[in-house]
Each structure stands twice: as C-alpha cells, then as structure tokens.
C-alpha cells in the first residue's frame, strides 16, 4: 500500500483535475454557440472569478512558498501540507477560464436585468476590505492578541473561496427556479463538476490515510468543503434539469439550431437577433 497508495492518489488527483477543469468549458462553448449569455447568472460569474483568484493565491503559496510551508509545519507539528501540483494547476486554470466566461457577458446578448446584484457587490467589497486589513496587520505587525502571519492571510483567502462556493450557485439555482427552466445553463458542466467533487474528497481522505495525519484535512478545509458543497449543488442542478424542469428542454444539446430554437421558445432571444448572429 505504501508504494501503490501515492500512485493511486496521483491518478485520482489528475482525474479530478481533468473533470473539474473540463467542467468550465461546456458553458463557455454554449455561450459562444448561441452568442448569448441569457439564462446565466451574472452573480455566479463574478463570484467564480473572485473565488478562484483567492484560491489560486492560496494554492500557489502553499505549493511554492517556503515561508508558508515553514509556518504550516510550525502550526501542525512539522507536518507537510497536502496541496498538490494538480491543485495548483486546477485553481489557476479555473481562474483564467472563469475570466474568459465573464468576459463573454460584455459582448454577447444578455437581458437588461442581468447585472451584478447589490448583495454580490457588498460581499466582494467587504471581504476584499478584510484582505487589505490583514495585509496591513501583517506588514505592520498589528497586535490582535497574537502576531498575524502570511499563512493566516492564505487561510482567509481560502475561507473566502469556500464562502463563495457555498453561495455562488444560489443565484443560478434561483434563476432556474424562477424561470422553471435550465435553458442557457449547461448540464455538462454540472456532471463534470460532480465527478470532480467526489474524486477530490476521495484523494484528500486517501492522502490523510496514507500519511497517518488526519490533520491534513483540517489543514486544507477549503478542499474538503469544496468537494462536499459542489456535490450538494450539483445534485440540486441535476434534479432541476432531469426531473423538475425536464419538459422545458432536452437532456443534452445536440445542435446549435436546437439550442437557438429553445432560447427563442423561452423568449430569451428573438428570431431577428438569431438571424443577426448568423449573418
């Protein structure tokens, strides 16, 4: 098990990396094919970008920064953290593809009501202010009962990512509920996300078992939390797509024309708009 276990962990890690990373592309491709982002929550897109910026900084620091590694060992009885190279690649890749998807909202067709909500604005502004305050506290060694370290900032970023992941799907789930349809929201990204969430949890538990250090899970709470929350929301979206609103669309997108007809049928785009996209 000592020789096979790490190999299995690596395979699982890269498999969930592929599944989770691939999950970002169906929505991006769907937007491109229909030349529309209607049916897609703007809050979800901004949350995604903000969350993955925080998560990328967290993973890059835990994987490459020697000072962060030393601070982790001091805090967790000289144990190594469980951030792997696939975690780093996943976070950075997700950040960039999320930015690309968000950029589509600036030049593809969208409804006037599709804009960033005040709740999302307040959340981003307040948590970003917290980041600035922590940086100030670390640089100027502000005494808050103990000295703040850079690893504390990294954990704060990871908690922002976890909070983002807990709330980012709510606007999309509510939008699907209000429209009684999942048209414009790609189910393929949910199926891939569900696969990645399950494998992510399996890898984290396997790594903790192999190392004999279950504090590795508490030392990387965002990865553990991300896996569970993604599974919960993915199940909800699958129920919306395949059960609750199954009569409002087909299970899969077979052709560009099919999706365009569905968007027209939902009143999300007009026939004239579709014609202008095709010309």
């Amino acid at each position: 098990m000592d020789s096979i276990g790490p190999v299995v962990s690596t395979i699982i890690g890269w498999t969930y990396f592929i599944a989770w990373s691939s999950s970002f592309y169906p929505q991006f491709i769907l937007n491109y094919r229909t030349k529309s982002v209607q049916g897609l929550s703007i809050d979800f897109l901004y949350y995604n970008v903000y969350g993955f910026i925080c998560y990328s900084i967290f993973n890059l620091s835990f994987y490459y920064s020697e000072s962060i590694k030393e601070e982790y060992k001091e805090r967790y009885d000289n144990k190594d953290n469980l951030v792997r190279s696939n975690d780093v690649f996943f976070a950075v890749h997700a950040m960039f593809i999320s930015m690309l998807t968000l950029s589509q909202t600036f030049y593809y067709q969208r409804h006037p009501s599709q804009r960033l909500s005040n709740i999302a604005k307040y959340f981003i502004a307040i948590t970003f202010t917290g980041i600035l305050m922590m940086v100030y506290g670390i640089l100027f060694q502000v005494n808050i009962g103990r000295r703040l370290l850079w690893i504390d900032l990294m954990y704060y970023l990871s908690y922002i990512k976890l909070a983002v992941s807990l709330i980012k799907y709510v606007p999309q789930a509510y939008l699907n509920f209000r429209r009684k349809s999942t048209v414009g929201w790609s189910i393929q990204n949910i199926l891939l996300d569900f696969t990645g969430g399950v494998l992510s949890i399996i890898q984290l538990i396997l790594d903790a078992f192999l190392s004999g250090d279950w504090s590795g899970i508490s030392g990387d709470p965002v990865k553990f939390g991300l896996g569970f929350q993604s599974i919960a929301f993915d199940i909800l979206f699958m129920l919306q797509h395949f059960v609750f609103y199954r009569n409002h669309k087909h299970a899969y997108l077979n052709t560009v024309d099919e999706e365009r007809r569905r968007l027209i049928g939902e009143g999300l785009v007009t026939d004239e708009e579709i014609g202008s996209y095709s010309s």
Side-chain angles (χ1 to χ4, degrees):
M1 188 66 177
D2 290 340
S3 60
I4 298 177
V7 175
V8 174
S9 175
T10 300
I11 293 174
I12 292 175
W14 282 104
T15 302
Y16 100 70
F17 162 76
I18 293 172
W20 256 353
S21 297
S22 300
S23 71
F24 293 92
Y25 286 93
Q27 188 65 57
F28 179 82
I29 294 172
L30 176 60
N31 296 342
Y32 171 77
R33 291 169 62 191
T34 61
K35 300 298 185 293
S36 172
V37 295
Q38 297 197 47
L40 184 60
S41 169
I42 301 301
D43 282 9
F44 169 78
L45 297 178
Y46 275 92
Y47 281 140
N48 237 10
V49 170
Y50 181 51
F52 279 117
I53 289 175
C54 293
Y55 196 40
S56 294
I57 296 173
F58 171 85
N59 279 298
L60 286 167
S61 299
F62 267 57
Y63 192 74
Y64 288 111
S65 173
E66 292 302 324
S67 62
I68 294 295
K69 291 179 181 179
E70 289 303 315
E71 289 174 8
Y72 183 93
K73 287 183 178 181
E74 290 176 6
R75 186 164 297 185
Y76 292 101
D77 299 324
N78 209 36
K79 302 290 186 180
D80 291 323
N81 71 73
L82 297 180
V83 173
R84 300 291 181 258
S85 58
N86 56 276
D87 297 317
V88 177
F89 289 134
F90 164 72
V92 174
H93 169 268
M95 178 183 66
F96 281 113
I97 189 62
S98 295
M99 288 179 175
L100 287 175
T101 305
L102 176 61
S103 72
Q104 291 179 314
T105 65
F106 295 103
Y107 53 87
Y108 285 158
Q109 178 73 21
R110 76 177 190 181
H111 195 273
S113 65
Q114 285 181 284
R115 57 183 181 272
L116 189 64
S117 70
N118 287 331
I119 293 177
K121 291 177 184 178
Y122 294 147
F123 175 85
I124 294 173
I126 292 171
T127 54
F128 184 72
T129 300
I131 294 174
L132 297 179
M133 292 176 63
M134 288 199 70
V135 171
Y136 178 86
I138 294 169
L139 292 176
F140 295 95
Q141 299 184 358
V142 176
N143 190 352
I144 58 170
R146 66 178 181 84
R147 186 167 68 91
L148 285 174
L149 302 174
W150 286 110
I151 194 173
D152 296 313
L153 175 61
M154 296 305 109
Y155 276 126
Y156 178 69
L157 293 176
S158 74
Y159 294 140
I160 291 177
K161 168 55 183 168
L162 184 57
V164 164
S165 297
L166 289 172
I167 65 176
K168 72 177 183 178
Y169 289 116
V170 174
Q172 186 65 55
Y174 175 73
L175 182 62
N176 294 345
F177 167 76
R178 184 165 57 84
R179 296 167 56 237
K180 298 297 185 290
S181 172
T182 58
V183 171
W185 173 246
S186 175
I187 190 60
Q188 286 90 340
N189 76 322
I190 296 302
L191 299 176
L192 289 167
D193 189 65
F194 179 79
T195 302
V198 172
L199 293 177
S200 173
I201 292 176
I202 291 175
Q203 186 200 40
L204 193 61
I205 294 176
L206 178 61
D207 285 346
F209 172 76
L210 293 174
S211 65
D213 176 25
W214 293 96
S215 68
I217 294 178
S218 61
D220 192 2
V222 66
K223 184 176 178 181
F224 197 67
L226 278 175
F228 271 112
Q229 71 80 29
S230 67
I231 290 173
F233 272 104
D234 289 340
I235 291 174
L236 172 61
F237 284 124
M238 284 188 282
L239 287 173
Q240 285 184 324
H241 188 86
F242 294 114
V243 181
F244 302 147
Y245 315 133
R246 66 182 182 276
N247 295 325
H248 292 258
K249 75 277 175 271
H250 301 293
Y252 295 95
L253 308 177
N254 297 319
T255 66
V256 175
D257 289 337
E258 177 190 22
E259 178 60 11
R260 288 178 175 175
R261 287 195 301 270
R262 286 162 52 189
L263 288 172
I264 293 173
E266 287 284 328
L268 299 177
V269 295
T270 66
D271 199 14
E272 289 77 12
E273 288 170 338
I274 289 293
S276 65
Y277 295 145
S278 301
S279 60

